[in-house]
Amino acid sequence: MSFYATVVGYIQYRSQTFLDAALDKLRHGGWLDTENRWRTDGRSGGHSHLSSVDAENLLLVVPSDLYRNLARISTSLFVGATDGVLVISSVDGCFDAWVERPLPAAAAPDPTTDAITSIEAVDLEAFARKYDLGVTRFEASTPGEYAAWQNQVLRAFHREFNPELPPNLTGPDSE
């Protein structure tokens, strides 16, 4: 079963070896093509940038998009990370959002601990109340109304939490 989630962010690695390992994992899983362009449902070229890798700065950028199953492996991408943040949200059978960052253990020469990231879960209903977006209940609305409210909350969530990404590695629709 697939899990769709919007993912955006960046990860900086301590060495080329760790960056290459993350790129290999992403290519093997079908998220990147051989030119390091992101793929969505097996298609490359959905983004106007050429690559999401800054090899000089050991940086991997994940442009904002809806990815299939990428959120399931996000923690494993932080092996060897010295910095970074991934902002993730989904309405695929849920209404969830979280922010993932590397812990110092992720940057160890040989990260062997399971705890290499911190994950901050965001209660989207509480977030909606805080930003005066109200709360719409699925049972008390039409599916279209509920989906529109969810999308409004997710747009506000991503405006609040998305990191600034390097302009040379992002397209015009990456905000």
Side-chain angles (χ1 to χ4, degrees), residues 11-27 32 53 55 57-60 75-83 104-112 116:
I11 303 172
Q12 189 166 35
Y13 294 91
R14 70 173 301 198
S15 71
Q16 187 67 46
T17 302
F18 288 113
L19 173 58
D20 289 344
L23 295 174
D24 287 345
K25 179 182 290 270
L26 291 168
R27 282 190 213 104
L32 285 181
V53 177
N57 293 304
L58 303 173
L59 190 67
L60 168 68
T75 298
S76 68
L77 296 176
F78 283 94
V79 172
T82 59
D83 190 19
D110 183 22
T112 56
I116 62 168

Side-chain angles (χ1 to χ4, degrees), residues 59-79:
L59 190 67
L60 168 68
V61 172
V62 181
S64 181
D65 209 332
L66 185 66
Y67 297 96
R68 187 167 96 208
N69 294 328
L70 182 59
R72 289 182 177 193
I73 66 138
S74 61
T75 298
S76 68
L77 296 176
F78 283 94
V79 172

Side-chain angles (χ1 to χ4, degrees), residues 42-54:
R43 296 181 313 273
S44 292
H47 303 285
S48 61
H49 55 279
L50 299 175
S51 174
S52 291
V53 177
D54 177 347

Side-chain angles (χ1 to χ4, degrees), residues 126-140:
F127 179 87
R129 283 187 203 94
K130 178 180 175 183
Y131 287 88
D132 296 323
L133 301 172
V135 173
T136 300
R137 297 281 177 222
F138 180 76
E139 313 80 38

Side-chain angles (χ1 to χ4, degrees), residues 76-97:
S76 68
L77 296 176
F78 283 94
V79 172
T82 59
D83 190 19
V85 60
L86 292 180
V87 178
I88 304 169
S89 67
S90 182
V91 294
D92 187 6
C94 61
F95 188 47
D96 294 328

Side-chain angles (χ1 to χ4, degrees), residues 94-115:
C94 61
F95 188 47
D96 294 328
W98 61 98
V99 179
E100 189 166 10
R101 292 182 172 86
L103 291 171
D110 183 22
T112 56
T113 178
D114 290 335

